[in-house]
Amino acid sequence: MGTELKSPEKPPDDARRNRLLDAALGVFLRYGFRKTSMDQVARAADVSRQGLYLHFATKEDLFLATLQHSMEVSLRLASEGLSDVSLPLEERLVRGFDAWVGRYVGMLGADARDLSEVLSASGVQEVATRHETLFLEAVAKLLRASGLVAAYKSTGLTARQLTDTLYATARGLKYSSGTREAFVQGIGVAIRALCMPLGASR
């Protein structure tokens, strides 16, 4: 059974706009919100400052659009991993968590510490929560379909509780892993342990 993630409504795909957002993401991850300037983003995207302002009136608008774009890309990649029925359950889960949680591990610059503060702002948090909910629902759906929840029936654990446990582990690994590779190794161990009731990898 496939596990589909549906992203919130968004404007028609605009390749140029997406390239701007990809470039902006790299700059925000390196310098944080406060130290990032529109000039830096324009240079990274290889467009004029005026060209950037045609798409985004303020740095705040750019940041919110960048956040939403990065989450939509992460959801799409997570969906591809979780939905790939040719892969064993454990690998599907690793790919899903890597796409959603591990994708930017090791990429934050020293000046990007303020991003967590900016992410707690109400408008930004609403976007983040909406996408996070879609991801967690998809993981829980996959766990139910895999038979893993049935294997845990005697413990009384639900699909959402198993999902939340993996997610808490992934978030901890996000901050303790120095590289994306280390994150993947760590979440792989956690997923292997969780899937033990199903026996060897399918």
Side-chain angles (χ1 to χ4, degrees), residues 138-149:
V139 173
K141 181 179 178 181
L142 174 58
L143 293 182
R144 282 190 293 268
S146 72
L148 188 61
V149 176

Side-chain angles (χ1 to χ4, degrees), residues 42-83:
R43 284 195 298 272
D46 197 24
V47 298
S48 67
R49 193 167 184 267
Q50 292 77 12
L52 181 60
Y53 275 108
L54 285 175
H55 289 270
F56 307 101
T58 66
K59 185 169 73 169
E60 289 75 13
D61 290 342
L62 174 61
F63 181 76
L64 189 58
T66 299
L67 175 67
Q68 181 151 345
H69 172 68
S70 68
M71 289 189 170
E72 287 169 354
V73 171
S74 292
L75 278 171
R76 176 175 55 77
L77 294 173
S79 178
E80 290 170 0
L82 294 170
S83 302

Side-chain angles (χ1 to χ4, degrees), residues 29 100-108 112-117 119-120 125 132 167-180 182-184:
L29 287 174
W100 181 249
V101 184
R103 192 163 165 239
Y104 303 116
V105 170
M107 293 177 63
L108 283 179
R113 295 174 187 154
D114 69 337
L115 289 180
S116 58
E117 178 185 331
L119 288 171
S120 67
Q125 189 60 47
E132 179 181 67
Y167 193 42
T169 301
R171 292 180 68 170
L173 287 167
K174 175 181 178 180
Y175 295 106
S176 64
S177 302
T179 64
R180 184 175 181 178
F183 171 85
V184 169

Side-chain angles (χ1 to χ4, degrees), residues 3-8 71 74-82 92-102 127-143 160 163-164 166-168 170-171 183 187 191:
T3 303
E4 295 297 325
L5 291 171
K6 294 184 179 178
S7 189
M71 289 189 170
S74 292
L75 278 171
R76 176 175 55 77
L77 294 173
S79 178
E80 290 170 0
L82 294 170
R92 291 167 72 178
L93 288 168
V94 168
R95 290 193 179 193
F97 277 94
D98 177 44
W100 181 249
V101 184
V127 173
T129 299
R130 186 168 65 245
H131 287 75
E132 179 181 67
T133 297
L134 289 169
F135 172 72
L136 295 176
E137 288 175 350
V139 173
K141 181 179 178 181
L142 174 58
L143 293 182
R160 187 52 191 258
T163 297
D164 288 345
L166 276 181
Y167 193 42
R171 292 180 68 170
F183 171 85
I187 196 63
I191 287 169

